[in-house]
Amino acid sequence: MSLYLIVALGAVVAGFVQGLSGFAFSMVSMSIWAWTVDPKLAAVLATFGGLTGQVIAAVTARRAFDKALLLPFILGGLAGLPVGVWLLPRLDVPLFKTCLGGLLVIWCPLMLMARNLPRINVGGRVADAVAGMLGGVCGGLGGFTGVIPTLWCTLRRLDKDVQRAVIQNFNLSMLAVAFALYLGAGMVSVSMVPLLGIVALAVLVPVLLGARLYAGISETAFRQIVLGLLTLSGVALLASSLPVLFARAA
């Protein structure tokens, strides 16, 4: 019963954050589940919960988006996802998480404090594809597909509706592929079905509440929320990886 309650709590909180920002389900849910839920089970639940939340958002609200803008992110992500899955058993994941977490913890607060940073326009669609590919690699390594693309969209100073549409549709595509890979690899067992059902039910209302709150916030507030979530994502990455590195050094 305690496992069910913890899974439900993580899904409720992460669903609300995802509904508000368009991403971060895995990071938020993992920060709650990491202490008691088996890592392999948590990865499946986080992927399924994020996918469910994106599907709910897609069918309950009209999601206008620029296909030409989104396509490079999707193509890059599809190329990067299998690379991340291939790297997972070969890469020093704690060290990778420490480097990525350190980058987010340093860079995102600087962006919050520096309001007049110039908009990045270099690279065009190629740079968008690279950001999508890095997001796919990160998704294969740990399920956090939206971190790098969200940071890149923020650096490009995209309109909040445009940015949210790009990230939501990118995450929807990547999470669908990732969950299909989990199914194909036999990582989703029959014993997980009750927990998957709990996640699906727990996500429903919070996602809609987060989406409603999003409709009333300004561009500045949205940017602050996104950068704040990215900073917390960096803290969560450091919290999960630094103890492992310190244990090795000892």
Side-chain angles (χ1 to χ4, degrees), residues 143-184:
F144 32 95
T145 57
V147 173
I148 297 298
T150 300
L151 180 60
W152 177 244
C153 288
T154 304
L155 289 171
R156 288 193 63 186
R157 296 292 183 93
L158 297 182
D159 176 82
K160 74 182 183 81
D161 292 333
V162 174
Q163 174 172 321
R164 192 167 185 267
V166 167
I167 298 305
Q168 282 188 317
N169 286 285
F170 174 80
N171 281 337
L172 176 60
S173 303
M174 295 304 104
L175 291 169
V177 173
F179 195 70
L181 291 175
Y182 287 159
L183 288 170

Side-chain angles (χ1 to χ4, degrees), residues 83-172:
V83 174
V85 173
W86 180 82
L87 284 174
L88 184 58
R90 298 169 173 83
L91 188 69
D92 189 335
V93 176
L95 181 59
F96 170 79
K97 287 184 176 181
T98 299
C99 294
L100 179 58
L103 172 66
L104 294 174
V105 167
I106 294 172
W107 183 251
C108 294
L110 287 176
M111 291 182 64
L112 275 171
M113 292 183 289
R115 299 180 179 179
N116 297 318
L117 284 175
R119 176 178 180 177
I120 294 180
N121 295 311
V122 298
R125 298 292 182 256
V126 174
D128 292 345
V130 171
M133 183 182 68
L134 293 175
V137 172
C138 291
L141 287 172
F144 32 95
T145 57
V147 173
I148 297 298
T150 300
L151 180 60
W152 177 244
C153 288
T154 304
L155 289 171
R156 288 193 63 186
R157 296 292 183 93
L158 297 182
D159 176 82
K160 74 182 183 81
D161 292 333
V162 174
Q163 174 172 321
R164 192 167 185 267
V166 167
I167 298 305
Q168 282 188 317
N169 286 285
F170 174 80
N171 281 337
L172 176 60

